[in-house]
Amino acid sequence: MPRRGLPFRDGAPICQTAATPAADGRITDMRLFTCTCGNTLFFDNTACTACGRRTGWCQSCAAVTALEPAGDHWICQGTKTGGACGARVALCRNYAQHDVCNRTVPAGHGAFCDCCRYNETVPDLTVPGNRARWARLEAAKRRLFHTLDQLGLPYGAEGEGVSPPLSFAFMGDRMAAQGLWRPVGEAERVYTGHADGLITINIAEADAAERESLRVDLGEAHRTLIGHFRHEIGHYYWDVLIKGRPEAEAEFAALFGDPQNPPYGEALERHYRDGPPPGWEGGYVSAYATMHPWEDWAETWALYLDIVSVLDTAANLGLIHPEPDAETDVMVRRYQTLGLVLNELNREMGLLDFVPEVITPAIAGKLAHVRATIARGPGATP
Ligand SMILES: [Zn+2]
Ligand SMILES: [Zn+2]
Ligand SMILES: [Zn+2]
């Protein structure tokens, strides 16, 4: 495996599509940033651990930067092509009031940042522990958006030209009200899922013990918050990129199966009654993917986002060299090579395998279809 040493340097994105364009058009996809004092800043930092400066994500320079107070606002201390950024920004309301965000908003551009503005329902903060659960959800969501932007994927709120509009609901079960949770909304039980652009996550998933217990019960290799976001956004993009486009739907059915036969409800019942078919590993990313073509799509999509983001971060950290135009099979090979190393390191520390999947040619074919669907975008049919 090619290696490059520290210090880390800015690299090209590993995927073919564009990385996050900063306001000046520069492509930025660094996962490590630099404070005014020279200290390294990370994607989630709200303050510099060396000099104590307030930090936040600046949309204008597409980076986590130091912020200097200026009356009611803050001035970005980041740099971009041509010199200092100097953008006048406000902290996102969820940053300033609840400390669950680390993004800023250009002054005069509303209360919520480019990630928090999609929230429809947030956890009840009178419940002890919910602020921390919400913070973990938002941290995973920010990484999701970073990858969506890298891939140039469209999304928008109501009235912003993307159908369906995207929104998020983070809610707790009524059933668990006697214990840790309090009801939010009318539902008795909150199911993590996607419907018409609304992504709902049960906030119990933000508790490590709850999530691990579910992972073991369901026999899953991984169960993570970022994984939930990547899976559910896969359902969202099925609606945005495939649904209602006859040729795209036919292409999808040819590879993943007919989503109408059997109908979703029937497939769900069968899956929980009979389990996955023997030998499923040859054609599916996970046992859950065998349940229905839409779940196969969402699981495959989530793996594609795993691959894109892991390769991008690894390239930015100097672990692998950037290969911006790599085809899907090359991306898969690079991911599995990296996975081999990271799995051994994780095993050395008694952790779960970093890359648990064996990506067979059949799965790689589905990944290539996900990639082609993203490249085609919502504007045209195949
Ligand atoms: Zn500093
Ligand atoms: Zn800036
Ligand atoms: Zn925010």
Side-chain angles (χ1 to χ4, degrees):
M1 190 171 50
R3 286 175 190 281
R4 295 180 322 158
L6 302 178
F8 306 119
R9 70 166 190 85
D10 205 342
I14 207 78
C15 59
Q16 201 164 26
T17 41
T20 313
D24 62 1
R26 185 175 45 111
I27 299 298
T28 308
D29 60 352
M30 284 283 285
R31 297 301 167 91
L32 295 178
F33 310 93
T34 311
C35 180
T36 313
C37 74
N39 189 38
T40 298
L41 299 175
F42 297 92
F43 194 66
D44 296 316
N45 273 160
T46 53
C48 173
T49 52
C51 70
R53 279 184 178 86
R54 173 67 65 196
T55 64
W57 177 268
C58 170
Q59 274 182 48
S60 179
C61 45
V64 173
T65 63
L67 305 170
E68 289 293 341
D72 287 351
H73 287 84
W74 299 82
I75 304 294
C76 172
Q77 303 299 303
T79 53
K80 52 186 190 179
T81 315
C85 171
R88 197 159 161 270
V89 298
L91 303 186
C92 170
R93 182 177 291 170
N94 287 342
Y95 184 176
Q97 294 187 358
H98 305 302
D99 201 21
V100 299
C101 178
N102 73 337
R103 297 216 158 193
T104 66
V105 190
H109 283 73
F112 294 106
C113 74
D114 52 354
C115 293
C116 291
R117 65 193 293 270
Y118 297 98
N119 289 348
E120 186 194 77
T121 307
V122 298
D124 178 356
L125 293 184
T126 63
V127 177
N130 266 7
R131 196 212 60 80
R133 293 178 189 107
W134 185 20
R136 286 177 216 126
L137 285 158
E138 292 297 345
K141 178 151 70 75
R142 287 194 296 276
R143 282 180 192 269
L144 172 75
F145 274 116
H146 192 86
T147 306
L148 300 184
D149 289 343
Q150 248 185 301
L151 290 169
L153 281 161
Y155 52 86
E158 190 77 52
E160 293 180 348
V162 180
S163 177
L166 179 63
S167 59
F168 294 88
F170 302 141
M171 309 199 294
D173 283 340
R174 184 184 288 273
M175 279 169 60
Q178 301 89 338
L180 286 169
W181 316 104
R182 259 170 50 175
V184 178
E186 296 305 307
E188 287 291 315
R189 173 132 188 227
V190 175
Y191 288 97
T192 294
H194 165 266
D196 298 324
L198 174 65
I199 289 174
T200 301
I201 309 267
N202 188 320
I203 59 172
E205 296 286 349
D207 265 321
E210 297 260 354
R211 199 174 56 244
E212 179 64 6
S213 159
L214 281 169
R215 185 188 74 76
V216 173
D217 282 354
L218 298 170
E220 296 170 335
H222 282 181
R223 190 176 183 93
T224 62
L225 285 180
I226 185 67
H228 281 307
F229 280 104
R230 288 184 181 140
H231 174 101
E232 299 307 336
I233 206 79
H235 289 302
Y236 173 73
Y237 281 109
W238 196 89
D239 280 10
V240 172
L241 302 173
I242 296 177
K243 189 180 180 181
R245 293 166 172 76
E247 287 176 64
E249 287 203 17
E251 238 187 31
F252 167 82
L255 196 55
F256 290 86
D258 179 359
Q260 307 306 334
N261 181 32
Y264 189 87
E266 210 177 287
L268 183 78
E269 212 173 284
R270 188 188 59 193
H271 179 75
Y272 285 112
R273 189 187 59 228
D274 304 338
W280 62 267
E281 293 91 344
Y284 297 87
V285 174
S286 66
Y288 190 65
T290 67
M291 194 250 271
H292 185 269
W294 287 335
E295 298 306 341
D296 191 10
W297 164 265
E299 288 286 272
T300 308
W301 174 282
L303 174 60
Y304 186 73
L305 264 51
D306 287 347
I307 293 174
V308 166
S309 50
V310 163
L311 289 182
D312 172 58
T313 298
N316 278 308
L317 297 181
L319 292 173
I320 57 174
H321 65 88
E323 246 185 77
D325 299 324
E327 291 297 332
T328 312
D329 56 344
V330 176
M331 292 172 69
V332 165
R333 183 172 46 72
R334 283 160 64 82
Y335 183 66
Q336 297 221 283
T337 305
L338 192 61
L340 203 85
V341 174
L342 295 172
N343 284 354
E344 282 306 316
L345 291 174
N346 276 16
R347 288 169 194 171
E348 208 55 72
M349 293 300 284
L351 298 170
L352 294 174
D353 276 3
F354 185 89
V355 172
E357 308 91 357
V358 174
I359 303 175
T360 62
I363 296 169
K366 291 177 187 174
L367 288 166
H369 181 79
V370 166
R371 178 192 169 114
T373 305
I374 293 171
R376 191 178 64 233
T381 50

